[in-house]
């Protein structure tokens, strides 16, 4: 059986015990993962602290940047291995992992190296009574050892989205991948060694949350800052842990994102974008759409066309030709999503398409499959409209005017993202500015430039990362004042 080890101080290390990693396709055990106990987490934090006071954080930026370029090149050189590992852990179609997860995993090192290389410094002159003056300049130093707690939906992409900028700023990291997706984080250790990243700069500890590696990392006094992506209720626990020692925390959490489709939109583009935003990665994208509001004159046509097209999406294993939908991450998540499918009907939804589990034959009966599902007819108060499901499903409701739809779309505890479909430019600006979210897309979805601010409003997050905004979290900005 394949063994997935922790990666500490440049070496692969066994854990205190092992847990099974199951295939989302079949439920079979595909690997034994070495769970880090306190001993391994202590060792990882000690290695990260030692590396921080070693050459890494003092390395000239130009040299650090070259090594991060080498990490990006290393991922691309071993693209097929990363692709196979990501598809095995998640069951997602190869077409998604090869176009999104793995290339973006590499780009996170290249782009944040460039951001750090090119960031300007603040400079102010100050008049003084003696007429000689003083100068002030800003100087950034690493924040220290960063604990990186990751989810399973886009494992390499979302882990490197944190590790790339953290390392570019001269920090060292202790990464805790999701227990569901340990493989690519572990494989990245080999690439780090090949790229000449000093031992101890990148460490990986496997395990779960409470009373396991997640808790041990986030409560460890040797961790200076914590960056987290995952569910809001987990983020709340992590925020409490970060309060001990008043440590900075960056939280990227859940969403219940709306799409607003006006009657003047480019209909085909709105259908194509909504299909992707609701169903790609089997709906397991934090930015994905679970609430669709469509202006009444095109409501019926929109519902039937979206249903027609999703019924054409092939469900299957990652390497089957033309597959567009894989399974959910686990049987546990399947149970949660199917619970919402039942709840939607109990709350009075009309099932336009989907519901339940697809029949893919005996090979896949143990897997975490669900059918992509569209509902209409629910009241805005329904739990299915309010709570994040994180599956391939959406509810579609009609609306009659802009104020009405804004009130509905904003009436949610989350505030991560939205997609607005209209040809009216003034309305696009107006609606985008009034949406209580961190990211608004107009006539697009998941069109992401890594230099732009990323993060959520309300219960979707605290802080912004991306481009120079990542530097705000991963560095201490100091002012140096020199009297001339
Ligand atoms: P999760 O919160 O269950 O787990 C995330 C990570 O936290 C895992 O590594 C887990 O082991 C760890 N963890 C759990 N409890 C912990 C604890 N008490 N202390 C320390 N660590 C702990 O989330 P998930 O199920 O892996 O991911 C899905 C969720 O992530 C969804 O809610 C989704 O919206 C959200 N998400 C948000 C973003 C974003 O950018 N806002 C991106 C991706 C996913
Ligand atoms: O594209 C990114 O950088 C990013 N953070 C995407 C997040 C997706 C959430 O599931």
């Amino acid at each position: 059986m394949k063994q997935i080890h922790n990666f500490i101080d440049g070496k692969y290390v066994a854990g205190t015990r092992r847990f099974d990693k199951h295939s989302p396709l079949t439920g079979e055990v595909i690997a034994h993962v070495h769970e880090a106990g306190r001993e391994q987490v202590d060792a990882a934090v000690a290695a990260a602290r030692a590396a921080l006071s070693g050459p890494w954080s003092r390395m000239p930026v130009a040299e650090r940047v070259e090594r991060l370029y080498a990490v990006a090149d290393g991922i691309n050189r071993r693209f097929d291995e990363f692709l196979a590992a990501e598809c095995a852990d998640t069951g997602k179609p190869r077409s998604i992992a090869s176009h999104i997860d793995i290339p973006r995993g590499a780009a996170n090192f290249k782009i944040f190296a460039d951001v750090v290389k090119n960031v300007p410094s603040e400079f102010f002159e100050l008049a003084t009574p003696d007429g000689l003056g003083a100068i002030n300049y800003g100087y950034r130093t690493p924040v220290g050892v960063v604990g990186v707690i990751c989810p399973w939906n886009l494992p390499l992409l979302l882990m490197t989205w944190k590790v790339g900028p953290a390392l570019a700023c001269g920090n060292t990291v202790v990464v805790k991948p999701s227990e569901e997706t340990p493989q690519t984080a572990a494989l990245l250790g080999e690439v780090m060694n090949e790229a000449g990243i000093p031992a101890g700069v990148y460490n990986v500890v496997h395990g779960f949350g409470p009373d396991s590696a997640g808790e041990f990392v986030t409560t460890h006094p040797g961790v200076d800052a914590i960056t987290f992506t995952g569910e809001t209720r987990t983020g709340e626990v992590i925020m409490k842990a970060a309060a001990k020692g008043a440590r900075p925390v960056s939280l990227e959490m859940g969403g219940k994102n709306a799409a607003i489709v006006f009657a003047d939109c480019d209909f085909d583009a709105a259908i194509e974008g909504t299909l992707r935003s609701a169903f790609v990665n089997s709906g397991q994208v934090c930015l994905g759409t679970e609430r669709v509001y469509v202006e009444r004159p095109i409501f019926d046509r929109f519902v039937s066309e979206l249903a027609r097209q999703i019924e054409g999406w092939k469900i299957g294993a990652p390497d089957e030709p033309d597959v567009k939908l894989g399974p959910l991450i686990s049987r546990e998540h399947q149970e949660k999503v199917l619970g919402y499918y039942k709840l939607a009907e109990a709350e009075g939804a009309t099932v336009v398409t989907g519901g339940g589990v697809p029949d893919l034959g005996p090979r896949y009966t143990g897997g975490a499959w669900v059918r992509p599902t569209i509902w209409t007819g629910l009241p805005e108060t329904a739990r299915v409209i309010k709570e994040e499901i994180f599956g391939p499903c959406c509810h579609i409701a009609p609306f009659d005017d802009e104020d009405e739809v804004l009130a509905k779309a904003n009436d949610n505890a989350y505030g991560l993202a939205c997609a607005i479909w209209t040809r009216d430019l003034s309305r696009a600006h107006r609606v985008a500015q009034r949406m209580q979210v961190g990211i608004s897309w107009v006539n697009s979805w998941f069109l992401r430039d890594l230099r732009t601010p990323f993060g959520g409003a309300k219960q979707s997050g605290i802080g912004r990362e991306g481009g120079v905004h990542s530097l705000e979290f991963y560095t201490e900005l100091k002012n140096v004042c020199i009297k001339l």
Side-chain angles (χ1 to χ4, degrees), residues 5-28:
H5 289 91
N6 301 292
F7 183 74
I8 299 173
D9 206 15
K11 293 181 270 311
Y12 285 96
V13 173
T16 44
R17 56 188 176 198
R18 286 181 283 177
F19 62 93
D20 292 341
K21 164 62 197 164
H22 297 264
S23 164
L25 307 174
T26 60
E28 290 160 348

Side-chain angles (χ1 to χ4, degrees), residues 363-443:
R363 168 97 185 88
Y364 295 119
T365 45
W369 306 89
V370 295
R371 292 175 69 207
T373 297
I374 296 175
W375 304 287
T376 56
L378 283 174
E380 284 298 306
T381 49
R383 280 182 54 203
V384 166
I385 304 268
K386 294 289 179 219
E387 298 173 15
E388 181 185 52
I389 301 172
F390 221 54
C393 52
C394 63
H395 178 263
I396 315 183
F399 72 90
D400 295 298
D401 75 57
E402 196 177 303
D403 284 341
E404 173 208 345
V405 75
L406 270 162
K408 286 179 176 167
N410 279 328
D411 184 16
N412 197 271
Y414 295 110
L416 188 55
C418 73
I420 302 158
W421 299 90
T422 178
R423 285 191 166 100
D424 179 336
L425 197 54
S426 300
R427 174 158 60 198
H429 284 289
R430 229 173 22 239
V431 174
Q433 290 170 16
R434 288 178 65 193
M435 279 301 296
Q436 297 162 359
V437 295
I439 305 146
S440 291
W441 277 289
V442 174
N443 299 329

Side-chain angles (χ1 to χ4, degrees), residues 202-225:
Y202 174 78
N203 304 279
V204 179
V205 288
H206 296 295
F208 303 83
D211 201 26
S212 182
E215 181 183 319
F216 303 155
V217 169
T218 53
T219 56
H220 201 294
V223 169
D224 299 300

